[in-house]
């Protein structure tokens, strides 16, 4: 069983459209769709935007459906001059850039877990390799691997984007992956994150770019997820 989490309708509708034997369930306000893609069992949830929504969905997914792995998919913003609109970022790790207890001596991005503190939460190497393979199989896909930075903010402006790259070596920013990673890490469930870039480090208005390119970027992420499931 593969668990798939996306925040918005445009990030999950195309995946659900490729599913058979569908069953729907609403839990804590989020829609869970279970079924099969190419005979492979999976469950897709639209969690809503933000870290808390994503964490609730991930924990519910684990407890209710017991997936072998979880993939967080969707669109994201570039934090590097090497990631342009339409490119795909495959996370090797994820950090919550808005966690900040530096005033008491901690590193920025530190999260506090029962078994000890951590900043960069590692993605499953096996999942990363399979996501790479999916990108290569569908063709015409530029992808990079690296850190994805998560926070409850829509990041605008090249200065703020560059700061995330300088502070965390982040290749993309978004609003869900870090909390999903934290939940998976606590539950020892392998996870991965992909983000198709919908807004970039350019002179264009970030909100305008997002409104124009988010649907196209989401379509790319959906293609990758379907290929990933078929070959998992």
């Amino acid at each position: 069983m593969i668990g798939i989490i996306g925040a918005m309708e445009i990030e999950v509708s195309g995946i659900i459209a490729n599913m058979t034997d569908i069953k729907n369930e609403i839990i804590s306000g989020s829609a869970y769709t279970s079924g099969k893609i190419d005979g492979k069992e999976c469950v897709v949830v639209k969690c809503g935007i933000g870290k808390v929504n994503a964490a609730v969905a991930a924990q519910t997914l684990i407890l209710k459906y017991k997936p072998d792995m979880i993939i967080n998919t969707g669109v994201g913003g570039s934090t590097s001059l090497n990631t342009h609109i339409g490119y795909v970022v495959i996370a090797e790790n994820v950090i919550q850039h808005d966690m900040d207890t530096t005033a008491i001596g901690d590193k920025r991005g530190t999260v506090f877990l029962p078994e000890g503190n951590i900043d960069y939460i590692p993605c499953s190497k096996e999942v990363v390799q399979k996501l790479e393979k999916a990108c290569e199989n569908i063709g015409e896909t530029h992808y990079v691997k690296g850190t994805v930075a998560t926070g409850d903010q829509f990041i605008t402006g090249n200065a703020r984007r560059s700061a995330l790259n300088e502070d965390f070596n982040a290749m993309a920013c978004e609003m869900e992956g870090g909390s999903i990673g934290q939940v998976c890490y606590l539950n020892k469930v392998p996870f991965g994150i992909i983000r198709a870039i919908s807004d970039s480090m350019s002179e264009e208005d970030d909100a305008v770019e997002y409104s124009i390119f988010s649907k196209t970027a989401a379509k790319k992420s959906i293609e990758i997820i379907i290929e990933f499931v078929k070959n998992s």
Side-chain angles (χ1 to χ4, degrees), residues 30-147:
S30 292
Y32 293 76
T33 303
S34 57
K36 296 180 180 180
I37 295 177
D38 200 38
K40 308 292 178 60
E41 290 190 353
C42 55
V43 57
V44 179
V45 54
K46 182 181 74 172
C47 66
I49 295 169
K51 287 166 57 179
V52 174
N53 285 333
V56 170
Q59 187 64 57
T60 301
L61 182 59
I62 290 168
L63 294 176
K64 173 73 175 180
Y65 295 94
K66 298 177 172 55
D68 300 306
M69 67 184 76
I70 288 178
I71 309 298
N72 176 218
T73 181
V75 302
S78 173
T79 54
S80 167
L81 293 173
N82 295 321
T83 47
H84 308 292
I85 288 174
Y87 278 42
V88 172
V89 176
I90 301 173
E92 294 179 302
N93 52 61
V94 65
I95 192 163
Q96 296 179 47
H97 66 79
D98 60 347
M99 284 294 294
D100 189 349
T101 53
T102 54
I104 56 173
D106 300 312
K107 290 172 62 179
R108 186 176 163 214
T110 299
V111 293
F112 304 91
L113 308 179
E115 59 188 49
N117 304 341
I118 190 171
D119 45 16
Y120 292 89
I121 300 175
C123 297
S124 162
K125 291 183 179 179
E126 181 180 357
V127 171
V128 170
Q129 290 172 353
K130 288 182 177 180
L131 287 170
E132 281 189 88
K133 185 65 174 177
C135 287
E136 293 164 359
N137 284 350
I138 65 174
E140 297 183 359
T141 301
H142 298 282
Y143 72 88
V144 297
K145 297 185 297 180
T147 297

Side-chain angles (χ1 to χ4, degrees), residues 77-81 83 147 149 155 160-162 164-166 169-173 197 199 201:
S78 173
T79 54
S80 167
L81 293 173
T83 47
T147 297
I155 302 297
R160 295 181 70 198
R161 292 170 185 265
S162 294
L164 290 178
N165 183 266
E166 292 168 6
N169 199 29
M171 303 301 290
C173 58
I197 298 300
D199 41 288
M201 290 182 63

